[in-house]
Amino acid sequence: MSAILYYNDSFLREWTTTIVERREQNNQYFVRLEETAFYPHGGGQPCDTGTINEIDVLDVVKEDEYIWHQVSQLPNDNEAQCQLNWERRLDHMQHHTGQHLLSATALQLFNAPTLSFHLGQDMVTIDIDRKSMNDTELATLEQAVNQRIYDNLAVSSYFVNAEQLAQLPVVKMPKVTEDIRIVEIEDVEYNTCGGTHVSHTGQIGLIKLFKAEKQKGSIRIYFKCGARALADYNDSLHILNTLATKFNTGRKDILERFGKWEEDQQQLKAELEQLRKANDIYESNQLLSQMQNQQITHIFEHKTLSDLQRIAATLIAEQEVTVLFATLSEYKVFLAQNGHPHLKCGAFFKEHLATFHGKGGGSDLSAQATFTSEADLIAFYEFAQQQLHVVR
């Protein structure tokens, strides 16, 4: 069994020890150390990374009583110079202690025990046993937990036996009966935990709660601590400053300016819609002048499928007509009719599209198709023109 150094000093970053075992499994390499400060996966906390003799530590797992370190290659020397990825370790400590503090505060304020904890690469969450949580309650929880950070309460860890454990008001009784590790936050809680933690709550920096949402009968709270919360704030500040520059205003006035911008956009959208309708009427009249045998066919260069459908709807609304449109910009064909006794648009497409490498379908009154090339589109369009004359 390896000596676990982070139990006594979670701030240890570098140490020298001995490699006691090596193994290769499924083209992966593992070493076991006489002493280790690398934390393995467990308790909702991801593993540490770092280097052993400048070789990358990719993963750390615990198997039975042994801690194995997956490395990118096996070291040659038995002596091991070990170094933690400190930024990752500190992030994990801030969030793990932050989770303890947040869970304890949620329990005391709302009588809501924590059901699970997840420390992800981006967001961190706890699920608490509660049916709902409104914005006011979330803000109250955030203020209370941050006050405990400002108080800079001591965080300590130690081992107890079953008899000593019975005298402590632990949050949850463990399954083990020996070598029971307690993490104590001064005047807040006693918790059984094998993870890494800061030594005082002030080292968490801050806890920012982002939202609370319902999750299978419980409430999931999303939060970030310390350096990660600061990075998130800086990202948000960059976005705000960019918007402030674009709107030529201060950050506090962005929402007002954005509201005015939305009003302007709605007005422009209404004006554009009026112009579009007028243009559709103009184009419809032009196409009607070219109608032959109650059929209108046309290939557009730059129209969208929505444009084709809209113009066709304008034409069909005015009189009995069959419309066949194509657009070269999207390689699409649209067919519509409003009373042809023998033409079933969807069935026609289904019968013939595969021959021209097209895909699509529709109803008796309209159908649409997409092609992979302009040549296939034009070939189908010309075929459909001929067939419509025959059907008519």
Side-chain angles (χ1 to χ4, degrees):
M1 179 176 178
S2 301
I4 300 176
L5 301 177
Y6 58 77
Y7 280 161
N8 295 321
D9 184 5
S10 59
F11 284 82
L12 179 66
R13 307 185 191 190
E14 299 180 8
W15 70 101
T16 302
T17 187
T18 302
I19 297 174
V20 296
E21 189 174 354
R22 297 170 171 83
R23 77 180 187 192
E24 181 179 348
Q25 182 177 351
N26 298 325
N27 295 321
Q28 296 177 332
Y29 306 104
F30 299 86
V31 297
R32 186 163 61 86
L33 305 175
E34 184 176 8
E35 300 171 303
T36 185
F38 287 103
Y39 180 80
H41 293 283
Q45 179 177 327
C47 72
D48 287 320
T49 59
T51 59
I52 298 174
N53 292 347
E54 299 185 349
I55 297 171
D56 288 337
V57 175
L58 307 175
D59 197 8
V60 186
V61 296
K62 188 173 184 180
E63 297 179 2
D64 298 324
E65 297 301 318
Y66 297 114
I67 294 177
W68 288 94
H69 310 75
Q70 183 186 349
V71 289
S72 56
Q73 65 183 68
L74 289 174
N76 294 320
D77 299 330
N78 287 332
E79 183 178 85
Q81 300 289 335
C82 305
Q83 185 171 9
L84 284 179
N85 177 341
W86 178 246
E87 183 179 353
R88 179 181 173 91
R89 162 60 71 83
L90 179 60
D91 175 75
H92 291 172
M93 291 198 300
Q94 287 180 324
H95 282 90
H96 203 158
T97 310
Q99 176 264 313
H100 278 226
L101 200 62
L102 179 59
S103 293
T105 307
L107 181 62
Q108 292 167 10
L109 285 181
F110 306 115
N111 193 30
T114 292
L115 304 174
S116 64
F117 164 51
H118 174 68
L119 204 172
Q121 290 185 348
D122 180 38
M123 195 65 71
V124 187
T125 64
I126 59 170
D127 289 359
I128 62 173
D129 190 7
R130 205 161 194 261
K131 300 299 182 184
S132 64
M133 176 168 284
N134 59 41
D135 290 343
T136 300
E137 291 170 326
L138 191 68
T140 298
L141 177 59
E142 182 179 81
Q143 288 294 327
V145 71
N146 276 286
Q147 183 58 55
R148 285 173 161 170
I149 292 176
Y150 308 149
D151 292 340
N152 201 28
L153 306 172
V155 181
S156 56
S157 63
Y158 45 86
F159 288 88
V160 298
N161 57 34
E163 182 179 351
Q164 293 168 322
L165 177 66
Q167 306 303 313
L168 297 176
V170 292
V171 175
K172 183 180 180 180
M173 293 299 292
K175 295 180 181 180
V176 297
T177 57
E178 57 183 16
D179 295 328
I180 304 164
R181 185 168 182 255
I182 300 295
V183 173
E184 177 187 346
I185 301 178
E186 178 187 0
D187 298 328
V188 176
E189 73 162 11
Y190 297 83
N191 210 329
T192 55
C193 180
T196 57
H197 293 273
V198 298
S199 61
H200 289 81
T201 59
Q203 292 166 332
I204 298 171
L206 64 94
I207 296 180
K208 177 59 187 173
L209 308 186
F210 289 87
K211 63 178 179 179
E213 65 180 20
K214 292 183 179 180
Q215 181 73 22
K216 296 181 181 179
S218 60
I219 291 297
R220 177 164 294 174
I221 298 175
Y222 294 78
F223 68 99
K224 292 183 181 181
C225 296
R228 202 185 297 198
L230 178 60
D232 188 276
Y233 175 82
N234 286 333
D235 289 342
S236 299
L237 189 62
H238 173 72
I239 294 171
L240 283 174
N241 286 337
T242 300
L243 289 172
T245 300
K246 287 186 177 296
F247 284 110
N248 193 27
T249 189
R251 294 202 302 266
K252 292 182 178 179
D253 298 323
I254 287 176
L255 289 179
E256 181 180 345
R257 284 296 187 93
F258 190 78
K260 180 63 169 61
W261 177 84
E262 284 187 313
E263 291 178 2
D264 292 343
Q265 291 300 305
Q266 290 298 323
Q267 179 63 31
L268 288 173
K269 185 177 179 180
E271 293 175 0
L272 179 61
E273 186 62 26
Q274 290 179 346
L275 290 173
R276 180 179 290 145
K277 288 180 179 178
N279 187 64
D280 287 349
I281 293 172
Y282 173 79
E283 288 194 311
S284 297
N285 290 332
Q286 291 291 103
L287 292 166
L288 280 171
S289 67
Q290 304 168 17
M291 181 175 63
Q292 296 180 359
N293 299 321
Q294 299 303 115
Q295 295 178 2
I296 298 175
T297 61
H298 192 78
I299 296 179
F300 296 90
E301 289 282 343
H302 304 295
K303 296 289 187 185
T304 66
L305 177 62
S306 296
D307 294 333
L308 305 190
Q309 292 170 328
R310 193 178 60 252
I311 295 171
T314 302
L315 290 167
I316 290 173
E318 295 182 359
Q319 58 184 298
E320 183 178 323
V321 66
T322 299
V323 176
L324 175 67
F325 287 157
T327 172
L328 299 181
S329 63
E330 294 187 352
Y331 294 164
K332 293 184 185 296
V333 170
F334 182 70
L335 175 64
Q337 58 95 5
N338 68 343
H340 195 299
H342 306 297
L343 176 62
K344 310 294 184 185
C345 298
F348 177 78
F349 273 31
K350 184 177 181 180
E351 180 181 358
H352 299 292
L353 278 177
T355 305
F356 300 88
H357 309 104
K359 294 183 179 180
S363 66
D364 289 348
L365 297 180
S366 68
Q368 63 190 56
T370 302
F371 297 86
T372 57
S373 70
E374 182 176 317
D376 286 334
L377 177 143
I378 292 175
F380 177 79
Y381 173 83
E382 292 176 347
F383 169 80
Q385 273 186 316
Q386 296 173 357
Q387 292 299 309
L388 290 177
H389 284 302
V390 172
V391 172
R392 174 60 68 176

